[in-house]
Structures are given as structure tokens and as C-alpha cells.
Amino acid sequence: MPDVAGPLGGAFAATLAAWEWDVALLQEVPPWWPPRLARACGARAFTAPTSRGQALPAARVLAARRPDIVKSWGGGANAILLRGGRGATVHARLRVRLTPERRVLQAVRRDDGVWLANIHASAHDVGRAQADLERSGAALRRWAGDEPIVFGGDLNTRAPRVPGFEPAGGHVLDHVFVRGLEVAVPAVTLERGGLSDHVPVLATVRRP
């Protein structure tokens, strides 16, 4: 198993590698994790720094052990991991919001023409979170044209809406939406033990 800093990082990598998935959308991870997680999973990593990237060394040391406590103070990042030998032709990013915290839409166009997008929307304010989603959805429609899109992440609202997209499954604040694709089987949650304060959502979609 490739080294992922700290015991929690190694456990996270092992658990992620054991699940069956083609694409993983990760939010609020330490920015030094995605390349190592990708190596553990046989995947490619695409990382988008979000907030507080200039973390103090002490914060990084603590984040290696307890990222659930440090969160973005360890230098926040979102990541998209692609498995199955898939490549990407585009990696796009859009700063959706600067204050009160920087929020970034991240998207990858896979080599089969499917767009995969990831966001950690604004917290503690449903109106701001919904505005983040609407701006992100509009950007994705511009970028993708008529190509299919999967859009998910920590949306920070229990009832998210993304104009032009259909829900593909979710749990509490974490949801997946699609455009130009359909749900193959109902979404399920995965057992994560103590590795995260969010329950992972597994959505299975296909072309119509």
C-alpha cells in the first residue's frame, strides 16, 4: 500500500481501494492525499485547492491524523479520482464563491465524453449553498454542451436543486445529480466506520 501520511490516511486509502467504483468525488481532503489515494486505488487524481491552502505546519501534522477535526484548516482540497484506465481531456475549475469561504467547482471531461463534477457547497446557509449549485450547474451546462454530466459532492442542503439536472441519489447533505444519464440502480450508502463524518453515497448511472 503506498504511503498516505498518518494512520488515518492509510486506513482511508485501504477502504477506498476496496470499494467498487469508477469515479470518486472527494471533498475537504488534505491536499497532499489525492495523488497517494489514487496510487492506492489504481486511479488518476485531479485536485482542486479550495480554502486555507497556506496551512501552518502544525495544522498539517494534526490533519494527517485527524482531518475530521482540522478540516479545511489543513489546506482544503476537492478531488476527482478516475479508475479503470480512464483518461481525461479537460480539467476545469471555477471559483464559485470567495466569501465567507472560498468554494470551487471542479470538473473533468473523461475520455468517453462524460463530464464529472465535484463541489463542496457553502456551509451553514442553505440559500448560499443553493446559489452555489445554481451557478455551478450553469457553468457545467456551458462547458459540457450536449455531453452527459455527473455532478455531486457535499451540497450542504438536504433538498438541493440543480436546474437542468435530475437527482441520482443522496444522503443528508451529500447528493449526486445527472444530466443526459439515467439511474441504473438505486443509490446506496457505504460503511465508512470512523473515517469520515459523512456517509459515502454510491450512485450507479448509465447512458440511456
mmCIF file of all heavy atoms in Angstrom, residues 58-80:
data_model
loop_
_atom_site.group_PDB
_atom_site.id
_atom_site.type_symbol
_atom_site.label_atom_id
_atom_site.label_comp_id
_atom_site.label_asym_id
_atom_site.label_seq_id
_atom_site.Cartn_x
_atom_site.Cartn_y
_atom_site.Cartn_z
ATOM 1 N N ALA A 58 1.972 22.973 11.815
ATOM 2 C CA ALA A 58 1.316 22.253 12.907
ATOM 3 C C ALA A 58 -0.048 21.742 12.484
ATOM 4 O O ALA A 58 -0.468 20.650 12.861
ATOM 5 C CB ALA A 58 1.181 23.161 14.132
ATOM 6 N N ALA A 59 -0.756 22.536 11.679
ATOM 7 C CA ALA A 59 -2.069 22.107 11.210
ATOM 8 C C ALA A 59 -1.934 20.894 10.297
ATOM 9 O O ALA A 59 -2.749 19.976 10.354
ATOM 10 C CB ALA A 59 -2.773 23.241 10.483
ATOM 11 N N ARG A 60 -0.879 20.881 9.474
ATOM 12 C CA ARG A 60 -0.691 19.739 8.581
ATOM 13 C C ARG A 60 -0.380 18.479 9.372
ATOM 14 O O ARG A 60 -0.882 17.397 9.045
ATOM 15 C CB ARG A 60 0.433 20.024 7.583
ATOM 16 C CG ARG A 60 0.750 18.812 6.727
ATOM 17 C CD ARG A 60 1.595 19.141 5.540
ATOM 18 N NE ARG A 60 1.952 17.927 4.812
ATOM 19 C CZ ARG A 60 2.423 17.902 3.595
ATOM 20 N NH1 ARG A 60 2.597 19.020 2.929
ATOM 21 N NH2 ARG A 60 2.720 16.767 3.008
ATOM 22 N N VAL A 61 0.417 18.587 10.407
ATOM 23 C CA VAL A 61 0.730 17.421 11.229
ATOM 24 C C VAL A 61 -0.538 16.865 11.856
ATOM 25 O O VAL A 61 -0.783 15.653 11.851
ATOM 26 C CB VAL A 61 1.759 17.787 12.312
ATOM 27 C CG1 VAL A 61 1.909 16.640 13.311
ATOM 28 C CG2 VAL A 61 3.107 18.099 11.670
ATOM 29 N N LEU A 62 -1.390 17.735 12.405
ATOM 30 C CA LEU A 62 -2.637 17.279 13.008
ATOM 31 C C LEU A 62 -3.583 16.738 11.957
ATOM 32 O O LEU A 62 -4.264 15.725 12.160
ATOM 33 C CB LEU A 62 -3.301 18.423 13.779
ATOM 34 C CG LEU A 62 -4.633 18.083 14.474
ATOM 35 C CD1 LEU A 62 -4.458 16.918 15.445
ATOM 36 C CD2 LEU A 62 -5.163 19.301 15.210
ATOM 37 N N ALA A 63 -3.626 17.374 10.786
ATOM 38 C CA ALA A 63 -4.532 16.935 9.734
ATOM 39 C C ALA A 63 -4.199 15.533 9.260
ATOM 40 O O ALA A 63 -5.077 14.787 8.834
ATOM 41 C CB ALA A 63 -4.479 17.907 8.555
ATOM 42 N N ALA A 64 -2.908 15.155 9.314
ATOM 43 C CA ALA A 64 -2.522 13.815 8.896
ATOM 44 C C ALA A 64 -3.155 12.751 9.777
ATOM 45 O O ALA A 64 -3.387 11.626 9.349
ATOM 46 C CB ALA A 64 -0.990 13.677 8.935
ATOM 47 N N ARG A 65 -3.462 13.125 11.029
ATOM 48 C CA ARG A 65 -4.023 12.175 11.982
ATOM 49 C C ARG A 65 -5.519 12.347 12.181
ATOM 50 O O ARG A 65 -6.247 11.387 12.313
ATOM 51 C CB ARG A 65 -3.307 12.308 13.325
ATOM 52 C CG ARG A 65 -1.841 11.902 13.248
ATOM 53 C CD ARG A 65 -1.077 12.288 14.501
ATOM 54 N NE ARG A 65 0.276 11.746 14.473
ATOM 55 C CZ ARG A 65 1.273 12.283 13.786
ATOM 56 N NH1 ARG A 65 1.059 13.366 13.054
ATOM 57 N NH2 ARG A 65 2.464 11.741 13.800
ATOM 58 N N ARG A 66 -6.006 13.600 12.184
ATOM 59 C CA ARG A 66 -7.415 13.864 12.448
ATOM 60 C C ARG A 66 -7.959 14.915 11.495
ATOM 61 O O ARG A 66 -8.310 16.025 11.909
ATOM 62 C CB ARG A 66 -7.618 14.314 13.902
ATOM 63 C CG ARG A 66 -7.320 13.262 14.956
ATOM 64 C CD ARG A 66 -8.241 12.050 14.830
ATOM 65 N NE ARG A 66 -9.652 12.424 14.890
ATOM 66 C CZ ARG A 66 -10.324 12.549 16.046
ATOM 67 N NH1 ARG A 66 -9.738 12.349 17.195
ATOM 68 N NH2 ARG A 66 -11.614 12.885 16.017
ATOM 69 N N PRO A 67 -8.067 14.601 10.194
ATOM 70 C CA PRO A 67 -8.608 15.585 9.249
ATOM 71 C C PRO A 67 -10.062 15.920 9.534
ATOM 72 O O PRO A 67 -10.555 16.960 9.120
ATOM 73 C CB PRO A 67 -8.436 14.899 7.888
ATOM 74 C CG PRO A 67 -8.346 13.449 8.202
ATOM 75 C CD PRO A 67 -7.658 13.349 9.538
ATOM 76 N N ASP A 68 -10.775 15.037 10.249
ATOM 77 C CA ASP A 68 -12.158 15.327 10.605
ATOM 78 C C ASP A 68 -12.258 16.505 11.554
ATOM 79 O O ASP A 68 -13.271 17.205 11.601
ATOM 80 C CB ASP A 68 -12.819 14.096 11.232
ATOM 81 C CG ASP A 68 -12.036 13.555 12.421
ATOM 82 O OD1 ASP A 68 -10.788 13.562 12.364
ATOM 83 O OD2 ASP A 68 -12.665 13.116 13.395
ATOM 84 N N ILE A 69 -11.192 16.769 12.317
ATOM 85 C CA ILE A 69 -11.165 17.918 13.224
ATOM 86 C C ILE A 69 -10.600 19.138 12.522
ATOM 87 O O ILE A 69 -11.166 20.236 12.564
ATOM 88 C CB ILE A 69 -10.323 17.604 14.478
ATOM 89 C CG1 ILE A 69 -11.029 16.532 15.318
ATOM 90 C CG2 ILE A 69 -10.081 18.863 15.309
ATOM 91 C CD1 ILE A 69 -10.222 16.096 16.518
ATOM 92 N N VAL A 70 -9.484 18.975 11.836
ATOM 93 C CA VAL A 70 -8.806 20.108 11.207
ATOM 94 C C VAL A 70 -9.589 20.621 10.004
ATOM 95 O O VAL A 70 -9.653 21.814 9.743
ATOM 96 C CB VAL A 70 -7.382 19.698 10.779
ATOM 97 C CG1 VAL A 70 -6.694 20.827 10.037
ATOM 98 C CG2 VAL A 70 -6.574 19.318 12.011
ATOM 99 N N LYS A 71 -10.219 19.699 9.240
ATOM 100 C CA LYS A 71 -10.982 20.047 8.047
ATOM 101 C C LYS A 71 -10.153 20.956 7.145
ATOM 102 O O LYS A 71 -8.985 20.712 6.883
ATOM 103 C CB LYS A 71 -12.326 20.643 8.439
ATOM 104 C CG LYS A 71 -13.186 19.635 9.206
ATOM 105 C CD LYS A 71 -14.555 20.148 9.493
ATOM 106 C CE LYS A 71 -15.368 19.069 10.205
ATOM 107 N NZ LYS A 71 -16.728 19.521 10.516
ATOM 108 N N SER A 72 -10.721 22.041 6.640
ATOM 109 C CA SER A 72 -10.015 22.853 5.652
ATOM 110 C C SER A 72 -8.864 23.652 6.237
ATOM 111 O O SER A 72 -8.089 24.248 5.495
ATOM 112 C CB SER A 72 -10.996 23.794 4.946
ATOM 113 O OG SER A 72 -11.660 24.611 5.872
ATOM 114 N N TRP A 73 -8.713 23.679 7.578
ATOM 115 C CA TRP A 73 -7.559 24.369 8.150
ATOM 116 C C TRP A 73 -6.261 23.626 7.847
ATOM 117 O O TRP A 73 -5.177 24.163 7.997
ATOM 118 C CB TRP A 73 -7.735 24.543 9.658
ATOM 119 C CG TRP A 73 -8.700 25.635 9.962
ATOM 120 C CD1 TRP A 73 -9.996 25.494 10.365
ATOM 121 C CD2 TRP A 73 -8.483 27.042 9.852
ATOM 122 N NE1 TRP A 73 -10.594 26.711 10.526
ATOM 123 C CE2 TRP A 73 -9.687 27.686 10.223
ATOM 124 C CE3 TRP A 73 -7.398 27.824 9.470
ATOM 125 C CZ2 TRP A 73 -9.826 29.073 10.217
ATOM 126 C CZ3 TRP A 73 -7.536 29.207 9.478
ATOM 127 C CH2 TRP A 73 -8.734 29.809 9.846
ATOM 128 N N GLY A 74 -6.361 22.375 7.407
ATOM 129 C CA GLY A 74 -5.173 21.647 6.964
ATOM 130 C C GLY A 74 -4.790 21.973 5.538
ATOM 131 O O GLY A 74 -3.834 21.442 5.012
ATOM 132 N N GLY A 75 -5.518 22.880 4.903
ATOM 133 C CA GLY A 75 -5.312 23.187 3.497
ATOM 134 C C GLY A 75 -6.302 22.394 2.682
ATOM 135 O O GLY A 75 -6.029 21.271 2.290
ATOM 136 N N GLY A 76 -7.510 22.928 2.518
ATOM 137 C CA GLY A 76 -8.595 22.136 1.937
ATOM 138 C C GLY A 76 -8.395 21.870 0.458
ATOM 139 O O GLY A 76 -7.787 22.650 -0.275
ATOM 140 N N ALA A 77 -8.946 20.744 -0.005
ATOM 141 C CA ALA A 77 -8.930 20.406 -1.431
ATOM 142 C C ALA A 77 -10.102 19.486 -1.737
ATOM 143 O O ALA A 77 -10.552 18.730 -0.879
ATOM 144 C CB ALA A 77 -7.622 19.731 -1.813
ATOM 145 N N ASN A 78 -10.584 19.574 -2.961
ATOM 146 C CA ASN A 78 -11.500 18.591 -3.508
ATOM 147 C C ASN A 78 -10.720 17.755 -4.507
ATOM 148 O O ASN A 78 -9.690 18.189 -5.040
ATOM 149 C CB ASN A 78 -12.682 19.264 -4.206
ATOM 150 C CG ASN A 78 -13.582 20.003 -3.229
ATOM 151 O OD1 ASN A 78 -13.529 19.784 -2.021
ATOM 152 N ND2 ASN A 78 -14.420 20.878 -3.763
ATOM 153 N N ALA A 79 -11.214 16.554 -4.778
ATOM 154 C CA ALA A 79 -10.502 15.684 -5.717
ATOM 155 C C ALA A 79 -11.480 14.811 -6.476
ATOM 156 O O ALA A 79 -12.514 14.395 -5.936
ATOM 157 C CB ALA A 79 -9.492 14.810 -4.983
ATOM 158 N N ILE A 80 -11.142 14.545 -7.734
ATOM 159 C CA ILE A 80 -11.842 13.572 -8.560
ATOM 160 C C ILE A 80 -10.848 12.475 -8.901
ATOM 161 O O ILE A 80 -9.763 12.760 -9.425
ATOM 162 C CB ILE A 80 -12.390 14.214 -9.848
ATOM 163 C CG1 ILE A 80 -13.415 15.310 -9.511
ATOM 164 C CG2 ILE A 80 -13.017 13.157 -10.757
ATOM 165 C CD1 ILE A 80 -13.898 16.097 -10.724
#
